[in-house]
Amino acid sequence: MSDASGLRILAEGLRFPEGPIALADGSVIIVEIAAGRITKVAPDGTKTVVATPGGGPNGIAMGPGGKIFCCNNGGFVWHEGPEGLRPAGVPLDYAGGRIEVIDPATGSVARLYDHCGENMLKGPNDIVFAPKGAPGEGGFWFSDLGKVRARDRDHGGVYWAASDGSRIVEAAFPIFGGANGIALSPDGRALYAAETETGRLWAWDIEGPGVVRKDPWPSSNGGRVICQFPGYRRLDSIAATAAGNICVATLVSGEITTVSPAGEILRVVKMPERMPTNICFGGPGMRTAYVTLSLSGKLAALDWDEPGLELPFG
């Protein structure tokens, strides 16, 4: 294990930040889930509101036409105490989750999907676009964490959807402990998803838009577990590196864990709090990691040991 030497705090006072997108000018776009807004953090730390979709904007990605595609989980009840801010249930005004398209130039928000067939999206969480030439080109993969109530919960799942709003497919279901972070291999032919409550990292081989190769029973969703994290560790968002490794924001233990495609834990970097929820890459050579520290409401950056994967639409 290594510590986060050289970690720099870029912004503070954020309301449960997640979903970072690194821009070419050194700015980072994040969501503030508890505030229902999307915020741009300039290199000098200045914060500007991009849009206020309400609910619970969660994972975001740049998409076609310079638009921001947003997984909106529908909102949470929040608990704020000495340890910081954290989600603590389903709000009374919850009406389901959705995928939204946001114009960063105007702040306008349009709903793209809120159902898959007859099933309502419950808590869309993270999103990644398929690269050019890959199965699934023309759309994006996203995870749905589900919703947790006092006595029961909705199962999570993984979906593919066309960028133009014309088609949505349930690719893998159920993911009992909630599908959280999602990422693709550099060639766009392997799909990865982190299951929060079980500490499992799943993988599927992609055969087409919304179609993944399914392993038979006893796999609960057709995927294969490539890594079972040790001890009590909950998994949040993930990001791929240029070499194809998967960097996992690891909750409770407060770590960023790098896992190889074969499932070997290659590196563990200790973060300064227990809830590092998300990671993305940017900067010169894609060697800067941007990490959201959500309990304390901070956006951090640190130099990384390998370049991150350049994503479609930049």
Side-chain angles (χ1 to χ4, degrees):
M1 181 181 294
S2 59
D3 62 14
S5 57
L7 183 139
R8 311 174 294 279
I9 301 299
L10 304 182
E12 301 185 63
L14 303 166
R15 300 294 289 172
F16 210 86
E18 272 240 46
I21 299 174
L23 304 182
D25 66 358
S27 300
V28 181
I29 297 177
I30 59 161
V31 303
E32 296 184 73
I33 302 179
R37 65 181 173 235
I38 296 173
T39 302
K40 182 177 180 179
V41 178
D44 66 359
T46 302
K47 292 175 282 189
T48 306
V49 175
V50 175
T52 308
N58 209 134
I60 54 175
M62 295 302 298
K67 301 297 195 298
I68 298 170
F69 283 63
C70 176
C71 291
N72 195 311
N73 62 41
F76 292 119
V77 171
W78 294 92
H79 172 81
E80 194 157 13
E83 77 284 357
L85 181 68
R86 57 180 172 83
V90 182
L92 293 176
D93 62 354
Y94 170 73
R98 62 254 190 196
I99 303 296
E100 297 167 325
V101 181
I102 295 163
D103 186 344
T106 64
S108 67
V109 180
R111 186 172 298 203
L112 192 66
Y113 297 101
D114 54 21
H115 282 74
C116 180
E118 297 180 353
N119 298 311
M120 182 176 71
L121 299 179
K122 299 299 178 66
N125 187 278
D126 203 7
I127 178 172
V128 63
F129 277 87
K132 187 175 182 180
E137 180 183 358
F140 54 89
W141 301 87
F142 73 94
S143 60
D144 192 315
L145 188 69
K147 279 293 184 185
V148 180
R149 293 170 292 274
R151 292 283 179 174
D152 61 15
R153 67 174 296 152
D154 301 311
H155 299 322
V158 171
Y159 300 80
W160 177 90
S163 304
D164 62 4
S166 63
R167 184 180 176 220
I168 182 171
V169 180
E170 183 184 274
F173 188 92
I175 299 178
F176 293 116
N180 199 311
I182 196 165
L184 295 170
S185 59
D187 63 3
R189 295 181 178 276
L191 174 69
Y192 302 104
E195 186 176 9
T196 297
E197 302 301 342
T198 63
R200 294 171 182 157
L201 183 61
W202 291 89
W204 299 261
D205 295 324
I206 300 172
E207 297 181 340
V211 180
V212 296
R213 188 181 69 80
K214 298 286 186 72
D215 282 358
W217 182 89
S219 174
S220 58
N221 53 56
R224 59 188 187 275
V225 175
I226 64 168
C227 186
Q228 173 71 69
F229 279 53
Y232 181 38
R233 284 170 168 81
R234 301 168 69 240
L235 308 187
D236 208 299
S237 293
I238 62 180
T241 71
N245 296 318
I246 307 105
C247 298
V248 185
T250 311
L251 310 179
V252 182
S253 59
E255 300 158 348
I256 303 294
T257 309
T258 301
V259 180
S260 77
E264 180 185 2
I265 293 178
L266 303 175
R267 184 174 184 239
V268 178
V269 180
K270 188 72 175 176
M271 291 288 113
E273 71 159 68
R274 299 181 71 173
M275 292 280 280
T277 54
N278 212 318
I279 178 172
C280 79
F281 294 101
M286 298 292 285
R287 295 294 291 265
T288 302
Y290 297 94
V291 178
T292 50
L293 305 174
S294 295
L295 274 179
S296 56
K298 297 174 183 176
L299 174 65
L302 69 160
D303 297 334
W304 207 247
D305 67 324
E306 59 175 321
L309 178 64
E310 292 194 30
L311 299 176
F313 307 108

